[in-house]
C-alpha cells in the first residue's frame, strides 16, 4: 500500500477504479482495517446466492442502475422504482457517513472491467459527497484509491495488488452553493467534482499499453500497404485470436470460451456477420505482432507479460528519476507513461542496449526481491555508510526470521497445495467458464474463482471428514483431519510460489554469510542508473535530454509530462533579435491528427490553427484538444511568445525571467520573429527537425487560421495586418480580444499618459507602473478548475511596465484608426461573464477589423466579420477565456460556434 498518510482520520468516501468485481471492496477493507467501511453495489447482486452473503458482511448499500446487465428485461426496475431506491440509498449513505462515522466504498466507473484504462466516471459519487456537505454536516472528502493488480483483475491465485491512496478531494463552499442553487446548478457542481476525481484517480492507477492501438500506430507510421486483420479461432471449447500483419500471422494463447462469448459468436454467425473478438485475445495477438514486426529486442525478459513489461518500466523509471526530488503520485504516473510510450514509439525497441537494459533491470529486481529490500532503501544510503554495522545486523535479524518461517511453512504449504488440488481445479474452471463475458472482459473471473472456492471448501471439507471417519471410525481423527487440512490451506495462501521461496532463502543466506551484499546491490544500482539515463537521453526529445540532472528542470517540465500524455510535441524557436538575455527563445507546442490515431487509416487534417495565448497565459487547454483535432479538423500549434509561458525558461529548464516580469514587451512587433518562424514551419511540409528553424511540420494545409486570446488577440490582429507572412492566413479567431482597457476614464487617461511619455522617450519603458506578485482572484479560480502549471501561467498578478502600456495603447490606436483592417474572415467571441474586459467595447471595436466597416454582431457565418456572444448565467457561467470557462457547457457552446464558422468558411472548395 502506498499513500496511507493521505487518508483523513474521519469518515470519507473511498472512490476506486474497478478492475475485479467483488475483490475490490474486499481488498480495500483488508488494507484499511482501522476504518469501518460500507460498500455500494448494484441491487441485483443482493438476490444472488453467496454474493448476497458477502454483501451483507460488507454492510453494502444497494443502488439501482438504469440498465442492470444481471437482470432480464422483464426484471429491470422502472424509472420510479430506481428513483425511490436511489433516494433510500443516498439517505442510508448519508447516515453511515455522518451519524455512524463509517466510510463508504464506491466505484464511480459504474461497472467493473478488466481493460487497462479508466472508463468515464458517473456523477453519483460527487453527488453523494455534495449531498452530505449540503445538509449542514461537515463536508466528507473523496479519497481516490488506485487498485493495481499484478495480473489482469487479479485472476491468478496469489496475485499481488498495489493500493495507491491519492490526495483527498475536499468539497468546497462554492461547490456547495452551486449545488444548492437549483437542478441545473446541482448537475454542474457534480460534474465539476467528478472532473477533479477523474484527474486524481488517473494519478493513482497504472495502465499497460493497448497493443491493438500500438500496432495500428505502427502500421500508419511505416505506411503498411495492408492494415492488420484479426480473426477468431475456436476449437473444442477453446478460443484464440489470430492477426495477420505484413504477411505473417500471430496467434494469441488459447483459453476456455465463456458461455457469453459462445452465445455472441453463434448469434453473429446466424446473422452472417463476423464473430466479435474478445479484447484480451485481440490484445495478446497484437502484442506478438507488434513485438515481432517492430523488431523489438529484450522479449526474453518482458515479452510475454504486460505486467512484467510495466514492472520493468517502473524499475527503470525509479532508477532514472532525479536524486533528492520527491514526486507526487500524479508525477510518478506521468513519468511512467512517458517511459512506456517513449520506448514504444521510438527506435529504442530495435536497439541492442534496450535488451541489455531489461536484462539488467530484471536482475536488479530479482536481487531486491530475494534479499527482501526495496529500491528506496538501497538508494537512501551511500556505499560504506553503515560504519557500525547496525543496519546489517537489523537485516540479518530479519533474514533469520524469514529462514525459520520458510522452514516451517514451506512443507505445510506443499501439503496444502496437494490436499486442495480439487478445490483449485474447480475454482479455475468456474473462473474461466463463468467469469469471462462475451467481450473477453475478465473483471469478475477472480470473483467467480473466490465464490467457487468458498462453495467447494464448504462441500470438500465435510467430504474429507466423512471419508476419514468412515476409514477410522474415530470422530477425533476426523476433527484432526479437518484442522490439518484447514491449516495447510491457510498456510498455502500465505506462502510464495516455490521458485520465489527458494530465491528468497538464497538471498537471506547471502545476507547472513557475506558482509558487503547490500553495498554490492548499491553499486549495481549506480551502474544501472548511469545506463538507464544514457539510453533515455539517446531517444528523448531534445528539450528533455538530461531531464534528471537538476531539480529546476523537473519542476518546469512536469507540465510537459502531462502534455506528452496527449501526444503533444514541443520545439524551440531560437531568437536572434530584441533578446534581453542569452538563451532566450520562443516555444511551439503542437498536436497533429496522426498522433491520435486509434482506428485504421485516417486522413491528415487540411487545416492548421496557430494559437497565440493572452497576457499571463499559456496553452493548457487539453480539454478542447480532441474536438479541435479530431472533430473540427484543425492541427493545433500553440505558440509561447518570448518571455511568455514555457519560453520563460531556457531549453535546459533554467529560469530566464522571474514570473512577475513574464509577458513584458515594449513593442508587440518584436513578436513577429517567432510568429513568422511558426508560420513558415506550418507552411513547410518537409520533415520536422530538432527546432522550428530546422525543418517543417511534415504536413500540407489548405488553410491556416490565427487564433488569439485577450492580448494575444491584439497581437494576432497586428500581425494579420502587418506581418511578413500574413498572406498565409485564411482566417482569424479572436477570443475576448483586448481591444480596449476595461478601466474608468481617469485610469485610462493615466495609462495613455504613461504610454505617451514612453513613446516620447521621456519615461524609461522599464518603469514600473504597477508592481506584480499579488494573488490574482481570476487566475486562482481558473487554476482550481483547470489545474494548469503555475510555472507557465502564474496565479499572481504580473508587473506592468510603462513600455507594456505603450505597446498595448499603440496597437489599440492602430485598430481604431483602421490600420489593422483586413478582408481575411474573422470570428470574434465574447461574453458578459468576462471579469477582465468589457464585452460591449469588444463588440464596438471589432467592427474595425475589416476594411469595409460592418457590424458583425448578427452577421451570418459566411460574412467577413462574425461576432458571437457566448451565454452566461449564474448556474453555467462563462469567463474571460471562453474556452476555459467555469462551466464546460459554455466551453462546449464556444467550440460549437468555432466548428460552425469553420464549416462555412472552409468547405471542400478551399479558401473563401
Amino acid at each position: 500500500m502506498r499513500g496511507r498518510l493521505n487518508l483523513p482520520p474521519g469518515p470519507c468516501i473511498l472512490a476506486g477504479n474497478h478492475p475485479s468485481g467483488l475483490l475490490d471492496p474486499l481488498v480495500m477493507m483488508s488494507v484499511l482495517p482501522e476504518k469501518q467501511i460500507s460498500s455500494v453495489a448494484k441491487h441485483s447482486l443482493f438476490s444472488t446466492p453467496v454474493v448476497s452473503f458477502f454483501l451483507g458482511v460488507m454492510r453494502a448499500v444497494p443502488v439501482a442502475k438504469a440498465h442492470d446487465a444481471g437482470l432480464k428485461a422483464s426484471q429491470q426496475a422502472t424509472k420510479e422504482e430506481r428513483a425511490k431506491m436511489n433516494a433510500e440509498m443516498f439517505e442510508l449513505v448519508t447516515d453511515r457517513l455522518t451519524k455512524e462515522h463509517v466510510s463508504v466504498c464506491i466505484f464511480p466507473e459504474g461497472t467493473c472491467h478488466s481493460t487497462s484504462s479508466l472508463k468515464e466516471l458517473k456523477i453519483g459519487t460527487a453527488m453523494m459527497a455534495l449531498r452530505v456537505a449540503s445538509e449542514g454536516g461537515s463536508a466528507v472528502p473523496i479519497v481516490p484509491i488506485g487498485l493495481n493488480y499484478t495480473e489482469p483483475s487479479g485472476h491468478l491465485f496469489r496475485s499481488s495488488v498495489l493500493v495507491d491512496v491519492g490526495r483527498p478531494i475536499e468539497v468546497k463552499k462554492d461547490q456547495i452553493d452551486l449545488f444548492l442553487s437549483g437542478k441545473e446548478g446541482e448537475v454542474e457542481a457534480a460534474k465539476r467534482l467528478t472532473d477533479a476525481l477523474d484527474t486524481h484517480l488517473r494519478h493513482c492507477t497504472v495502465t499497460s499499453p493497448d497493443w491493438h492501438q500500438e500496432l495500428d500506430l505502427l502500421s500508419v507510421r511505416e505506411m503498411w500497404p495492408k492494415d492488420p486483420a484479426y480473426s477468431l479461432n475456436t476449437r473444442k471449447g477453446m478460443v484464440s485470436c489470430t492477426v495477420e500483419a505484413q504477411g505473417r500471422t500471430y496467434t494469441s494463447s488459447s483459453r476456455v470460451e465463456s458461455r457469453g462469448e459462445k452465445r455472441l459468436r453463434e448469434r453473429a454467425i446466424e446473422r452472417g456477420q463476423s464473430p466479435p473478438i474478445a479484447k484480451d485475445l485481440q490484445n495478446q495477438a497484437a502484442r506478438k505482432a507488434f513485438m515481432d514486426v517492430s523488431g523489438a529486442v529484450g522479449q526474453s525478459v518482458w515479452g510475454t507479460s504486460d505486467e512484467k513489461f510495466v514492472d520493468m518500466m517502473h524499475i527503470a523509471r525509479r532508477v532514472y528519476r532525479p536524486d533528492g526530488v520527491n514526486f507526487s503520485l500524479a508525477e510518478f504516473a506521468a513519468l511512467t507513461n512517458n517511459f512506456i510510450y517513449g520506448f514504444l514509439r521510438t527506435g529504442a525497441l530495435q536497439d541492442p542496449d534496450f535488451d541489455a537494459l531489461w536484462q539488467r533491470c530484471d536482475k536488479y529486481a530479482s536481487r531486491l526481491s530475494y534479499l527482501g529490500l526495496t529500491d528506496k532503501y538501497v538508494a537512501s544510503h551511500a556505499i560504506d555508510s553503515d560504519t557500525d554495522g547496525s543496519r546489517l545486523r537489523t537485516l540479518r535479524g530479519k533474514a533469520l526470521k524469514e529462514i525459520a518461517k520458510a522452514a516451517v511453512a514451506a512443507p505445510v504449504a506443499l501439503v496444502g497445495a496437494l490436499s486442495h488440488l480439487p478445490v483449485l481445479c474447480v475454482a479455475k474452471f468456474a473462473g474461466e467458464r463463468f467469469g469471462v463475458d462475451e467481450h473477453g472482459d475478465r473483471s469478475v473471473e477472480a470473483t467467480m474463482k473466490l465464490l467457487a472456492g468458498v462453495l467447494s471448501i464448504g462441500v470438500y471439507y465435510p467430504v474429507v471428514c466423512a471419508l476419514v471417519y468412515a476409514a477410522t471410525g474415530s470422530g477425533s481423527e476426523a476433527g484432526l483431519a479437518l484442522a490439518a487440512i484447514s491449516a495447510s490451506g491457510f498456510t498455502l495462501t500465505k506462502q510464495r510460489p516455490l521458485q520465489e521461496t527458494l530465491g528468497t532463502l538464497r538471498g537471506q543466506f547471502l545476507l547472513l554469510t557475506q558482509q558487503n551484499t547490500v553495498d554490492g546491490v548499491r553499486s549495481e544500482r549506480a551502474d544501472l542508473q548511469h545506463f538507464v539515463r544514457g539510453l533515455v537521453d539517446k531517444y528523448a526529445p531534445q528539450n528533455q535530454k538530461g531531464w534528471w540532472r537538476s531539480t529546476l528542470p523537473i519542476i518546469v517540465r512536469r507540465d510537459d509530462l502531462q502534455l506528452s500524455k496527449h501526444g503533444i510535441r514541443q520545439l524551440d524557436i531560437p531568437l536572434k533579435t530584441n533578446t534581453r538575455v542569452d538563451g532566450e527563445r520562443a516555444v511551439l507546442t503542437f498536436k497533429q491528427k496522426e498522433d491520435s490515431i486509434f482506428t485504421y487509416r485516417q486522413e491528415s487534417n487540411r487545416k492548421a490553427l496557430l494559437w497565440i495565448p493572452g497576457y499571463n497565459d499559456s496553452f493548457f487547454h487539453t480539454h478542447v484538444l480532441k474536438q479541435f483535432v479530431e472533430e473540427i479538423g484543425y492541427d493545433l500549434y500553440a505558440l509561447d511568445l518570448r518571455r511568455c509561458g514555457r519560453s520563460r525558461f531556457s531549453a535546459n529548464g533554467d529560469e530566464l525571467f522571474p514570473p512577475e516580469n513574464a509577458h513584458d514587451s515594449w513593442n508587440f512587433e518584436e513578436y513577429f520573429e517567432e510568429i513568422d518562424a511558426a508560420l513558415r514551419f506550418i507552411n513547410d511540409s518537409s520533415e520536422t527537425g530538432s527546432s522550428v528553424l530546422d525543418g517543417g511540420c511534415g504536413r500540407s494545409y489548405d488553410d491556416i487560421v490565427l487564433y488569439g486570446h485577450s492580448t494575444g488577440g491584439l497581437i494576432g490582429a497586428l500581425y494579420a495586418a502587418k506581418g511578413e507572412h500574413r498572406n498565409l492566413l485564411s482566417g482569424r479567431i479572436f477570443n475576448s480580444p483586448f481591444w480596449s482597457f476595461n478601466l474608468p476614464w481617469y485610469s485610462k487617461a493615466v495609462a495613455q499618459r504613461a504610454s505617451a511619455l514612453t513613446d516620447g522617450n521621456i519615461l524609461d519603458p522599464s518603469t514600473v507602473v504597477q508592481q506584480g506578485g499579488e494573488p490574482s482572484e481570476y487566475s486562482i479560480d481558473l487554476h482550481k478548475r483547470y489545474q494548469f502549471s503555475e510555472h507557465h501561467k502564474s496565479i499572481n498578478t504580473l508587473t506592468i511596465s510603462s513600455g507594456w502600456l505603450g505597446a498595448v495603447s499603440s496597437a489599440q490606436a492602430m485598430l481604431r484608426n483602421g490600420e489593422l483592417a483586413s478582408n481575411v474572415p474573422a470570428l470574434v467571441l465574447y461574453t458578459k461573464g468576462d471579469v477582465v474586459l468589457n464585452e460591449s467595447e469588444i463588440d464596438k471595436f471589432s467592427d474595425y477589423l475589416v476594411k469595409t466597416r460592418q457590424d458583425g454582431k448578427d452577421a451570418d457565418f459566411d460574412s467577413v466579420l462574425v461576432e458571437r456572444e457566448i451565454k452566461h448565467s449564474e448556474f453555467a457561467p462563462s469567463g474571460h477565456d471562453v474556452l476555459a470557462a467555469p462551466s464546460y457547457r459554455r466551453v462546449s457552446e464556444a467550440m460549437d460556434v468555432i466548428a460552425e464558422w469553420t464549416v462555412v468558411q472552409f468547405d471542400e472548395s478551399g479558401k473563401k
Side-chain angles (χ1 to χ4, degrees), residues 455-531:
L455 290 173
S456 298
I457 287 174
V459 175
Y460 181 61
Y461 281 13
V463 169
V464 170
C465 290
L467 290 174
V468 172
Y469 181 79
T472 64
S474 170
S476 59
E477 291 190 18
L480 285 173
L482 177 61
I485 195 172
S486 301
S488 68
F490 178 78
T491 305
L492 175 64
T493 63
K494 297 294 183 180
Q495 190 68 13
R496 293 180 178 182
L498 181 60
Q499 185 176 358
E500 288 185 25
T501 300
L502 293 175
T504 300
L505 288 174
R506 186 168 64 249
Q508 305 310 306
F509 277 116
L510 283 175
L511 281 174
L512 291 173
T513 57
Q514 295 185 13
Q515 189 75 19
N516 298 318
T517 300
V518 179
D519 277 350
V521 178
R522 290 194 177 100
S523 179
E524 181 181 348
R525 186 187 191 277
D527 291 341
L528 177 59
Q529 184 178 67
H530 178 75
F531 188 81

Side-chain angles (χ1 to χ4, degrees), residues 161-175:
V161 57
L162 170 64
V163 180
D164 261 340
V165 181
R167 188 161 49 87
I169 304 167
E170 303 289 344
V171 180
K172 296 181 174 59
K173 185 179 183 303
D174 60 333
Q175 294 173 327

Side-chain angles (χ1 to χ4, degrees), residues 2 116 148 162 164 202 204-208 310 314 336 340:
R2 183 167 60 184
S116 61
N148 305 291
L162 170 64
D164 261 340
R202 290 181 189 280
C204 302
T205 53
V206 177
T207 59
S208 56
V310 173
H314 274 298
T336 301
I340 292 174

